[in-house]
Amino acid sequence: QQQVKQSPQSLIVQKGGISIINCAYENTAFDYFPWYQQFPGKGPALLIAIRPDVSEKKEGRFTISFNKSAKQFSLHIMDSQPGDSATYFCAASIRGGSQGNLIFGKGTKLSVKP
Amino acid sequence: EAGVAQSPRYKIIEKRQSVAFWCNPISGHATLYWYQQILGQGPKLLIQFQNNGVVDDSQLPKDRFSAERLKGVDSTLKIQPAKLEDSAVYLCASSLRLAGAETQYFGPGTRLLVL
């Protein structure tokens, strides 16, 4: 019930291409879905987040698509750049919960080739 | 604004030894989290504090791990005795409030290697 499944484990994309990372969740109580970006030797940093009352959220080159019926959400990185090379984690939590628990996926290591 | 500070950045110990990690959250952040990140996995919550009280420690191996947040600011996480499987990065994060949609700000982590 608490799992968030993320795929692929690793991804190689050419500069200028589109990177797509997918996540699926089981717990229907989850209603907040952030994506975190982590560079080597650094802690994760919030990239973009979505709530299930919208199907898509876009911030610059980053877009989250959300499918509530399928319990899936994905991150799209348009015009991928070498500087986007990092590990990306999807996560889920309950907004109105009494705790701030974030349940993370296992991560996707993205490499953008110049 | 200063970020979340953690020390040490790296630690190598023998199994059965003890180790302690320190975290200083962003000023004014009431909620503090400790996560364990094993290589190739996402962070897993160990414990979270609201001010100096424990909100959730259900995933903390209490036979060997302990944590405290005295005065509701800095926090320490201790492992005693350490096992090989404790090798991981220990991340501290903080947020302004205790809520599922609050942005959590992570420190750089402490990389622990248990030999």
Side-chain angles (χ1 to χ4, degrees), chain A residues 2-4 30 34 90-93 100-105, chain B residues 35 43 45 59:
Chain A
Q2 290 293 318
Q3 275 191 318
V4 176
F30 288 146
C90 62
S93 70
N101 297 38
L102 277 176
I103 308 299
F104 283 88
Chain B
Y35 288 87
L45 181 70
Q59 298 193 85

Side-chain angles (χ1 to χ4, degrees), chain A residues 57-106:
Chain A
K57 183 174 181 180
K58 184 176 181 180
E59 289 184 2
R61 296 184 294 109
F62 301 91
T63 300
I64 300 178
S65 297
F66 185 82
N67 186 329
K68 187 174 182 178
S69 61
K71 292 188 286 185
Q72 295 175 347
F73 58 110
S74 60
L75 176 69
H76 293 61
I77 306 174
M78 312 300 288
D79 187 26
S80 299
Q81 299 297 312
D84 297 331
S85 297
T87 299
Y88 292 81
F89 294 95
C90 62
S93 70
I94 301 171
R95 272 183 296 159
S98 58
Q99 300 166 352
N101 297 38
L102 277 176
I103 308 299
F104 283 88
K106 290 191 174 183

